[in-house]
Amino acid sequence: MLPPPAHRPRIRRTSRMLAALAAMAALLSVNMPDAEAVPPLGVTAQALPDATANRVGPLFAGGLSGGHFCTAAVVHSDGRDVIATAAHCLGDPQNTYFAPGYRDGTAPYGVWRLTSAYVAPQWTAGQDPDADVAFATVVPAGDGHRASVEDAVGGFPVAAEQAADAAVTIVGYPSTENAPLRCANTTALYSDSQRRIDCPDLSGGTSGSPWLVGGAVAGVLGGYEGGGSDPDVSYSAVLGDQAVELYREAADDD
């Protein structure tokens, strides 16, 4: 309902002042983080730079000029030098490099060269999709950066045997993108040893991306059909005793 006619001019001036204040607030907040920017479940969007995204990076063949083909994430270890990825991403570990937090052609936390790879015998012998999980150790590829990758960005815990319907966040790098994508959704068992998630646009290059549950790595994108043939549906081998043992071997390597 409109106010009496005698009061309308004052109301219009108030509206103009409110509009001006709103415009000023919008200008002042342009560069502020937006809490509503996190996409809803099942929606894939570019991951903003934060502590989570900074621990994830693409894997490159021979260095940054070689193009990236998989994704990995830093996991906690006493040596502070371990990353997790998919086993099928480590066909040539001695020629593989990791760039956590990579974005728009720059590696703000340095480039790290893989030194050792830890892959299950079942993968080596027959590429068993249930064993498509691996860990590797890294060292700085050049000078000018911190002594360990975990010093640079921190590391995720590893959490095996998560519930089938756990809420999972995936952060990964399609090979055609120079910034990470993020998607969260609930998961379901595809089989007793494989978990699936519905997240669009997780195409080639996202293999090895961490599946995060409560801030811990509970899987990596891979497993069934190397992570799946449909970019809208992804898979991970269920982390069990074998994966935990690989992680311990990598973490204990001095």
Side-chain angles (χ1 to χ4, degrees):
M1 179 182 295
L2 289 174
H7 291 174
R8 286 180 190 171
R10 180 159 56 92
I11 295 296
R12 285 200 296 269
R13 285 196 298 270
T14 302
S15 298
R16 285 197 296 270
M17 289 179 64
L18 289 173
L21 288 171
M24 183 179 294
L27 286 172
L28 291 174
S29 63
V30 165
N31 294 321
M32 297 296 289
D34 183 0
E36 300 301 321
V38 176
L41 294 180
V43 174
T44 301
Q46 189 171 115
L48 298 176
D50 61 13
T52 296
N54 291 344
R55 295 175 183 177
V56 181
L59 295 177
F60 289 84
L64 297 190
S65 62
H68 56 91
F69 61 91
C70 272
T71 302
V74 183
V75 292
H76 177 65
S77 66
D78 289 344
R80 307 181 68 80
D81 61 352
V82 177
I83 61 173
T85 188
H88 75 261
C89 293
L90 298 183
D92 185 15
Q94 301 301 321
N95 194 43
T96 300
Y97 293 77
F98 172 61
Y102 180 81
R103 195 174 291 265
D104 299 327
T106 63
Y109 303 103
V111 179
W112 304 79
R113 178 176 57 83
L114 274 63
T115 56
S116 299
Y118 296 83
V119 179
Q122 291 88 334
W123 178 262
T124 303
Q127 296 189 344
D128 181 353
D130 293 341
D132 195 7
V133 179
F135 298 89
T137 53
V138 298
V139 295
D143 54 16
H145 293 281
R146 297 173 187 174
S148 78
V149 70
E150 197 171 337
D151 286 341
V153 296
F156 297 115
V158 173
E161 304 293 355
Q162 294 295 308
D165 58 351
V168 164
T169 297
I170 296 176
V171 180
Y173 288 77
S175 57
T176 56
E177 301 284 342
N178 282 320
L181 301 181
R182 182 193 304 257
C183 179
N185 211 344
T186 54
T187 61
L189 283 178
Y190 174 72
S191 67
D192 289 343
S193 55
Q194 297 282 329
R195 181 176 285 135
R196 62 164 281 166
I197 190 170
D198 294 333
C199 273
D201 302 321
L202 296 182
S203 55
T206 57
S207 290
S209 300
W211 289 34
L212 301 169
V213 176
V217 174
V220 298
L221 200 156
Y224 173 67
E225 290 187 339
S229 58
D230 182 345
D232 295 342
V233 181
S234 299
Y235 299 86
S236 168
V238 173
L239 294 194
D241 293 342
Q242 182 183 71
V244 170
E245 182 58 31
L246 286 176
Y247 167 57
R248 288 175 177 164
E249 287 179 20
D252 290 343
D253 182 9
D254 294 327

